Amino acid sequence: MTCSSTHPLHYDLIVVGAGIVGLAHAYTAARRGLKVCVVERDAACVGASIRNFGFITVTGQGAGDTWRRARRARQVWGEVAPQAGIAVVHQGLYLTAFRPQALAVVEAFLRTEMGEGCELLDLPEAARRAPSLQLDGAQGVLYSPHEMRVESRTAIALLAQWLAEVHGVMFRFGEAVLEVATPRVRTSRAVLHAERVAVCTNTELHGLFAERIAPHDLRLCQLQMLRVRPEPGFQLPGSVMADLSLVRYHGYSKLPEAAPLLAQMQREEGESLQHGIHLIVVQSADGSLVVGDSHHYGAAPLPFADQRVDDIILRHLRETLKLREATVTERWVGLYPSSASTDCLIDSPDEATRVVLVTSGTGASTAFGIAEDVFGDW
C-alpha cells in the first residue's frame, strides 16, 4: 500500500503510543514501505517500556502464540539493536532450581518443544559457567541461550530515533489523541488522516475505545523494582531467575509437574506469592543490577511502594547470588494492563483500526512478533 496523499498530515498508518508496542508497529509498517506517524501524549516515552528489565525473554513464555511471538521478537531485536545503536548488555538465562520439585518442572520443560536449545546444568558445570550464582542446596540450573538484555531506559529512545532517521517515521510527542475515527485522527494539536490506525496505549483503559476494552475485564498491575549496586567487579553471566519463576511463567507453570512445586511454595513462600514476587536479576553496563519484581492488581493501584515487598525481593536476591554488597540506589514502580485470559488483546473496531494491548507484562519480549501478526491479518 502507498500513501494516498502527499499532504504532510496524511499517512498510511498512524500509531497511537510510542512505547515498545507502538514502535514495533511503526517498524513493521515502515519495513513494508508505509508512511508512518507515531503520536505520543508525553514528551518522551516514560511508561512501562522504560520501567522494565530490558529483558527479551523467550524461555518460559506461555506455549502457543506468546512463545511463538517471543521467538520472532528475539530475532527482530537481534537485527534491529545493532542498527539502532542499542547495546546488548548480556545474553542467556540461568534459572536455579533449589527444590527437587523445581528440578522436576525444569526437566519436564526440557521435554517440550520450548526447551529446544536449553540445557540442564549440574552444579559443577553451573559453578564453572556462572560463578556468581549461589548454589548451596541447589538441584541444578536451567540454562537458555535465547534471552538478551538491553537497557530499556535508553533503548526505547534510540529505537525511536533510528525509526525517524532511517525509516522516515514521523513522531509527534507531547500530543494527546482525543478521537480516532479512521481515516480521521483528532489530536490536541491537529487533525491527522491515515488509511489505518493502530492504538497502542498500554494503561489508558478508559480513553480511546474504552467501550471496546471494557468487556475484556482488564486490571492494572503495579510492580516494584530496584537498582542495586553490588561490590566492584561483580559479574552476572546472564539474566537470573529461581524457583518462584517456575510457578509464575506460564511456559513452566502450566505443566502438570508445576502443581507440586506450587503447593510447596504456598507453604514455604506464601508471602512472596501473596505479593506476586518472583526474582529476576539483570545487569547494566555500569555493573549495577536491576532487580524485581512484585505484582499487585486493581482498577487503580495506589502509587506507593511497600518496603516489606522490597525486603522480600532483596532476600531472594541474596539467596540466589553470591553478593557481599547489595546497596539499593534506585526504586521505582511500573504499571501495565493485565488480563486473566490472554497475554495480548488485539481488537478490531473496524477494518482500518486495531487496538493492541499487551496484557501480561511481556511487551519487550513479544511486541515485534505481535506487530507482524497484526499486519499479517490486516
Side-chain angles (χ1 to χ4, degrees):
M1 180 184 297
T2 59
C3 189
S4 59
S5 173
T6 59
H7 191 286
L9 299 184
H10 288 229
Y11 304 91
D12 295 314
L13 174 72
I14 291 174
V15 178
V16 184
I20 186 56
V21 179
L23 295 183
H25 282 74
Y27 170 74
T28 304
R31 283 290 303 272
R32 286 161 165 75
L34 304 186
K35 182 181 178 183
V36 182
C37 177
V38 178
V39 187
E40 166 58 49
R41 67 174 184 176
D42 293 314
C45 180
V46 294
S49 294
I50 70 161
R51 302 187 194 189
N52 56 39
F53 296 93
F55 182 24
I56 292 88
T57 315
V58 177
T59 306
Q61 298 290 6
D65 283 344
T66 304
W67 180 69
R68 175 183 57 79
R69 289 166 174 165
R71 292 183 71 193
R72 177 55 185 152
R74 169 62 179 83
Q75 292 176 333
V76 176
W77 271 110
E79 298 163 2
V80 165
Q83 297 180 56
I86 298 170
V88 177
V89 185
H90 56 67
Q91 300 188 61
L93 165 69
Y94 292 80
L95 191 157
T96 304
F98 284 100
R99 295 163 176 82
Q101 292 88 342
L103 181 63
V105 176
V106 169
E107 290 173 336
F109 173 79
L110 289 170
R111 292 192 292 269
T112 71
E113 66 170 338
M114 298 181 292
E116 181 182 354
C118 301
E119 304 174 63
L120 176 58
L121 308 180
D122 61 23
L123 298 189
E125 179 63 12
R128 184 187 71 81
R129 294 199 204 179
S132 55
L133 295 181
Q134 173 60 259
L135 297 174
D136 293 346
Q139 305 296 309
V141 175
L142 171 66
Y143 170 71
S144 166
H146 304 306
E147 281 60 43
M148 64 182 285
R149 145 86 170 145
V150 300
E151 194 66 64
S152 56
R153 295 189 185 191
T154 56
I156 298 301
L158 287 170
L159 180 57
Q161 180 181 341
W162 176 72
L163 287 171
E165 294 177 353
V166 176
H167 291 281
V169 175
M170 174 67 68
F171 283 87
R172 299 174 69 100
F173 284 102
E175 187 167 349
V177 173
L178 306 178
E179 180 186 19
V180 173
T182 311
R184 181 176 178 273
V185 174
R186 183 169 63 89
T187 80
S188 55
R189 295 185 179 182
V191 175
L192 312 177
H193 293 82
E195 295 183 30
R196 290 187 277 188
V197 178
V199 178
C200 310
T201 47
N202 192 32
T203 57
E204 295 181 47
L205 305 182
H206 308 295
L208 298 173
F209 298 105
E211 75 286 357
R212 306 280 306 189
I213 295 172
H216 296 279
D217 296 323
L218 302 186
R219 301 175 296 168
L220 294 177
C221 176
Q222 181 169 282
L223 50 89
Q224 291 182 208
M225 295 180 63
L226 310 99
R227 186 175 296 275
V228 172
R229 177 70 61 185
E231 62 270 16
F234 182 87
Q235 189 69 40
L236 281 187
S239 304
V240 171
M241 294 183 178
D243 288 10
L244 282 165
S245 298
L246 297 172
V247 297
R248 173 116 198 140
Y249 274 64
H250 288 171
Y252 314 120
S253 66
K254 298 297 185 181
L255 298 170
E257 291 81 0
L261 175 62
L262 177 59
Q264 183 176 11
M265 300 302 281
Q266 288 170 335
R267 294 191 299 271
E268 298 176 1
E269 290 289 352
E271 191 175 11
S272 295
L273 293 176
Q274 176 188 345
H275 292 294
I277 291 171
H278 78 107
L279 182 71
I280 303 177
V281 191
V282 298
Q283 191 163 31
S284 295
D286 65 359
S288 65
L289 307 177
V290 178
V291 183
D293 56 358
S294 59
H295 300 80
H296 295 94
Y297 300 89
L302 296 176
F304 308 113
D306 184 339
Q307 180 62 50
R308 175 59 183 163
V309 171
D310 286 354
D311 289 343
I312 297 172
I313 293 172
L314 290 170
R315 170 174 65 81
H316 289 299
L317 173 69
R318 295 187 180 95
E319 291 171 350
T320 305
L321 297 179
K322 294 179 179 177
L323 282 171
R324 294 193 304 274
E325 299 177 21
T327 303
V328 177
T329 60
E330 279 187 313
R331 305 170 192 264
W332 67 93
V333 297
L335 197 68
Y336 65 81
S338 175
S339 167
S341 59
T342 183
D343 289 340
C344 177
L345 170 62
I346 302 173
D347 185 58
S348 303
D350 55 59
E351 290 185 0
T353 311
R354 297 292 182 271
V355 177
V356 186
L357 302 177
V358 174
T359 54
S360 54
T362 60
S365 300
T366 61
F368 286 112
I370 291 168
E372 290 188 356
D373 282 357
V374 169
F375 278 90
D377 293 332
W378 201 0

